[in-house]
């Protein structure tokens, strides 16, 4: 299984992944439409990309009342736009905050792994985002456990 | 039918009249996009059209142009560019100065390519921009705050974090119209030259706060754009001439320039590294690894350039600072004899937070220390302060006096040229400046003649052309003897125009250190034009000539195009010992003027030059008919 592995320590907050993602998803450069998002930590000194981990539980799929979320051949949970009614239940169900709603299309939107060639990983200049073989997509647990040791400084 | 704009552009110029509390937008035309491009190309057109001779830098009708360009917000590296163009406080002439960060990207995602400010607010305000919401808001909660505090306060007020909000402010220095106040944003990115921050303060504009907007940018040929962006990235990573810049930004400058005699040490009094200084700390690796550090890049950039770092020792141990650029290591360090990287790094961020130009600050501190050592400036004048070579804490105490205009700080706040003239006597002979008021960048230009000539003839607050990038592309030799006046003047004149082109794109000058042909391909893919190297250089030279014409109209004449006594002195030691640029000065100017096609007597671009550059429409403004007939003959 290939997953998006994120190494936050490498992220410099350049936001190139958001530009690439929005282009891949919409054909224009519009980070507001990106389904990978960069969050700052420790004042302005650290950044981390975050997107759908394609988790096994798939609360979004469970919550969807019209079965508009399915699994693509590369293992991504994807929205079937023809079926999505824009009710936003999936955005509430997702515990990670990686389901989005696009007011322009009135549909849910999320990471679809770009059909197996994620644009964010290609665009990232520091390999903070990689698309690699892994046993589990869950990189979050170990990152959180190590976080105290890796922060740039104790003070903000 | 509405004319379709080229790709890459947001499409609107945001106009703000602070006196009238009024904002509106203007559309670009496709023709204007191609002839002005953006950045300095757009800014100088606005200055020429709207700022007449009688509107001085502190007149409310002066314009403050905060412009980006067609590549900003797109996926080429380093595309967050801000170019500030205004009539500046140090020269009372044109300003062309850059910062990066996220200004350009965030502004364009809100739908604007530039902000043009005019007037003066009755009370302090900040400009809030989020898509179609543009408001002048009460800034009383921001007054007295430094640049970082201003950004932090706005983040809290607007409940936004990280790059969702760009804040550009002129800090306390701008509030008090310090003549070398800068404009700073996104924690460490500074447009520093010619007192552009003083103009912002004069307008009672505390800050510009831009929320990362929700609008789309389109490229005419997106696949071509991605390919060109990739080509630039690979060139920067793998070409031997740019690889160190890719890995370390400008950090290699200190040790490299010290070996050439071009590192300014103790106010140009020596070019020999003092005994006991461990230069292994000052290599690029030493400076980077000597601190806990982390990348803090600009929009879409893969360079390992801008970093945040933590001070590992000293009285401010644990403080988070912005890793200094070469200019910071120089201006907040070596220029006044500070050879401790930790103290320099701390002071550099204090300078950023205070919001003054670090180059001018360095020349000022070097001058004060030398003057106090020689008894030209007394302890009493400095309010009881003693400052010796390398004392970063005392330099910061002076900095705080300067940005508040307290005591002698009020004299120093005028910049080193005016301060030294005010003190007069032998003190006036120790100061480093160009007679126009242009601030030399942080080198010892007595070992870098190209930059001294470029600084003294520059039209934008410092040098116009900078160190040449791939000069062979412009028909110049790859290398020259740096002390051959003929070759030096030919190189400076012959490479003129490239920098103005770069400064119009909305990108960083470090990520444009690639072939002009690749830059043109990137611009063409974004816009849909068939842009060539020749058009790029023609555009750049046209922009440079228009800046020069503006300055002529402002009364900046060629007799001012020379260095101060100390700036143009002869190095007494070190690798450039005995090299005397002053002996060749007139010849340097003769050759340079001939190369660029300007009139040696009046400084004006010659009528034929104006015609060649597509500036015939300003000929009558510069020349009367009889003069024009004889000029250049």
């Amino acid at each position: 299984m290939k997953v998006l592995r994120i190494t936050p320590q490498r992220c410099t907050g350049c936001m190139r992944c958001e530009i690439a993602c929005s282009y891949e998803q919409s054909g224009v450069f519009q980070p507001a439409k990106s389904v990978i998002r960069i969050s700052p930590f420790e004042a302005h000194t650290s950044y981390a990309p975050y997107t759908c981990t394609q988790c096994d539980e798939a609360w979004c799929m469970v919550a969807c009342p019209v079965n508009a979320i399915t699994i693509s051949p590369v293992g991504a949970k994807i929205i079937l736009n023809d079926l999505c009614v824009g009710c936003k239940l999936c955005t509430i169900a997702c515990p990670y905050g990686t389901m989005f709603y696009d007011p322009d299309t009135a549909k849910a939107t999320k990471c679809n792994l770009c059909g197996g060639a994620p644009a964010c990983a290609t665009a990232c200049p520091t390999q903070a985002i990689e698309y690699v073989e892994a046993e589990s997509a869950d990189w979050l647990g170990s990152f959180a456990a190590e976080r105290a040791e890796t922060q740039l400084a104790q003070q903000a | 039918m509405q004319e379709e704009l080229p790709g890459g552009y947001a499409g609107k110029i945001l106009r703000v009249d602070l006196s009238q509390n009024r904002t509106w937008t203007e559309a670009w035309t496709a023709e204007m996009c191609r002839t002005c491009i953006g950045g300095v190309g757009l800014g100088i057109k606005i200055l020429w059209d709207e700022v007449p001779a009688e509107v001085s830098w502190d007149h409310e009708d002066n314009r403050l142009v905060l412009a980006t360009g067609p590549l900003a917000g797109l996926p080429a590296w380093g595309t967050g560019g801000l170019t500030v163009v205004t009539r500046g406080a140090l020269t009372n002439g044109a300003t062309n100065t850059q910062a990066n960060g996220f200004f350009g990207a965030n502004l364009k995602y809100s739908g604007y390519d530039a902000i043009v400010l005019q007037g003066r607010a009755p009370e302090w305000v900040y400009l809030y921009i989020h898509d179609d919401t543009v408001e002048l808001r009460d800034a009383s909660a921001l007054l007295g705050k430094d640049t970082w505090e201003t950004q932090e306060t706005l983040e809290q007020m607007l409940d936004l974090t990280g790059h969702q909000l760009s804040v550009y402010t002129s800090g306390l220095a701008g509030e008090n119209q310090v003549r070398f106040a800068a404009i700073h944003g996104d924690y460490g990115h500074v447009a520093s030259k010619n007192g552009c921050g003083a103009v912002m303060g004069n307008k009672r504009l505390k800050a510009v706060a831009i929320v990362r907007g929700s609008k789309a940018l389109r490229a005419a040929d997106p696949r071509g754009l991605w390919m060109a962006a990739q080509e630039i990235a690979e060139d920067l990573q793998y070409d031997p001439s740019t690889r160190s810049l890719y890995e370390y930004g400008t950090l290699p400058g200190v040790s490299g320039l010290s070996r050439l005699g071009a590192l300014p040490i103790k106010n140009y009094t020596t070019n020999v590294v003092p005994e006991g200084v461990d230069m292994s700390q000052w290599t690029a690796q030493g400076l980077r690894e000597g601190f806990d550090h982390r990348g803090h890049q600009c929009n879409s950039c893969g360079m390992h350039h801008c970093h945040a770092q933590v001070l590992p020792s000293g009285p401010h141990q644990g403080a988070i600072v912005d890793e200094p650029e070469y200019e910071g290591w120089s201006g907040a360090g070596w220029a006044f004899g500070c050879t401790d990287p930790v103290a320099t790094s701390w002071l550099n961020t204090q300078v950023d937070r205070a919001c003054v130009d670090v180059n001018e600050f360095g020349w000022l501190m070097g001058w004060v220390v030398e003057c106090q050592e020689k008894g030209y400036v007394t302890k009493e004048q400095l309010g009881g302060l003693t400052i010796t070579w390398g004392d970063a804490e005392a330099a910061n105490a002076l900095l705080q006096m300067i940005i508040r205009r307290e005591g002698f700080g009020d004299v120093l706040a005028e910049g080193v040229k005016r301060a030294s003239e005010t003190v007069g006597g032998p003190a006036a002979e120790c100061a480093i400046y160009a007679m126009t008021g242009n601030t030399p960048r942080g080198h010892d230009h007595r070992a870098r003649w190209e930059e001294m000539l470029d600084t003294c003839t520059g039209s934008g607050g410092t040098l116009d052309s900078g160190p040449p990038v791939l000069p062979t592309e412009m028909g110049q030799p790859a290398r020259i003897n740096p002390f051959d006046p003929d070759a030096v003047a030919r190189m400076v004149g012959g490479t003129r125009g490239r920098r103005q082109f770069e400064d119009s794109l909305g990108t960083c000058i470090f990520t444009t250190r690639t072939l002009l042909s690749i830059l043109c391909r990137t611009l063409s893919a974004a816009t849909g034009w068939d842009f060539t190297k020749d058009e790029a250089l023609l555009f750049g030279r046209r922009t440079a000539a228009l800046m020069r014409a503006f300055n002529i109209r402002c009364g900046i004449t060629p007799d001012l195009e020379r260095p101060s006594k100390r700036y143009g002195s002869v190095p007494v030691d070190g690798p450039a010992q005995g090299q005397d640029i002053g002996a060749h000065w007139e010849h340097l100017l003769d050759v340079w003027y001939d190369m660029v096609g300007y009139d040696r007597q009046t400084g004006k671009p010659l009528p034929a030059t104006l015609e060649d550059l597509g500036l015939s429409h300003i000929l009558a403004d510069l020349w009367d008919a009889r003069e024009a007939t004889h000029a250049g003959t």
Side-chain angles (χ1 to χ4, degrees), chain A residues 55-105:
Chain A
C55 68
D56 292 339
E57 294 84 354
W59 297 98
C60 56
M61 282 179 72
V62 176
C64 180
V66 293
N67 294 324
I69 301 178
T70 187
I71 300 177
S72 76
V74 297
K77 279 71 181 178
I78 58 170
I79 313 281
L80 300 170
N81 279 340
D82 291 351
L83 298 181
C84 176
V85 295
C87 72
K88 305 183 196 172
L89 270 176
C90 55
T91 68
I92 299 165
C94 174
Y96 301 111
T98 55
M99 290 294 308
F100 304 102
Y101 175 76
D102 184 344
D104 292 336
T105 60

Side-chain angles (χ1 to χ4, degrees), chain A residues 7-24 26-33 37-48 104 119 122-123 125-127 147 150-156, chain B residues 73-77 79 102 109 148 152 155 161-164 186-187 212-219 222-223 225-226 229-230 233 246 292-304 308-310 317-320:
Chain A
T7 311
Q9 295 92 325
R10 294 180 188 163
C11 175
T12 66
C14 80
M15 319 291 265
R16 197 164 193 249
C17 54
E18 290 195 3
I19 299 173
C21 176
S22 66
Y23 171 69
E24 184 69 25
S26 63
V28 292
F29 303 100
Q30 190 177 15
K33 298 270 175 129
R37 303 279 167 98
I38 304 296
S39 298
F41 295 92
E42 296 151 5
H44 64 275
T45 61
S46 299
Y47 298 87
D104 292 336
T122 306
T126 59
Q127 291 79 51
R147 188 66 193 146
T150 58
Q151 71 186 49
L152 182 62
Q154 294 301 316
Q155 74 168 87
Chain B
L74 299 179
W77 280 10
T79 47
F102 286 81
Y109 298 145
W148 288 29
E152 286 159 2
E155 285 168 356
T161 56
H163 300 312
Q164 298 309 312
D186 289 336
Y187 301 105
R212 192 171 178 82
S214 67
K215 307 214 171 185
L217 299 173
R218 289 171 170 78
R223 285 181 69 172
L225 179 67
W226 279 107
Q230 182 65 20
Y246 164 75
D292 190 8
H293 62 95
R294 181 161 179 147
H296 184 230
Q297 262 60 55
C298 299
N299 186 65
S300 185
C301 193
M303 303 285 275
H304 299 272
Q309 59 181 204
V310 183
Q317 183 177 5
I320 293 175

Side-chain angles (χ1 to χ4, degrees), chain B residues 327-348:
Chain B
E327 305 287 351
W329 297 116
S330 158
W334 290 83
F336 76 101
C338 184
T339 56
D340 172 4
V342 176
T344 302
S345 177
W346 171 75
L347 181 61
N348 176 70

Side-chain angles (χ1 to χ4, degrees), chain B residues 394-407:
Chain B
N396 182 55
L398 274 179
L399 173 64
Q400 300 308 318
M401 286 167 62
I402 289 166
I403 61 171
R404 291 169 178 80
R405 285 187 173 272
E406 290 171 354

Side-chain angles (χ1 to χ4, degrees), chain B residues 70-94:
Chain B
L71 297 184
L74 299 179
W77 280 10
T79 47
L82 159 67
T83 288
V84 181
V85 181
T86 188
R87 190 166 179 180
L90 282 172
T91 68
N92 203 21

Side-chain angles (χ1 to χ4, degrees), chain A residues 101-126:
Chain A
Y101 175 76
D102 184 344
D104 292 336
T105 60
K107 308 272 183 198
T109 175
K110 72 176 291 296
C111 173
N112 57 10
L113 293 175
C114 300
C120 54
T122 306
C124 178
T126 59

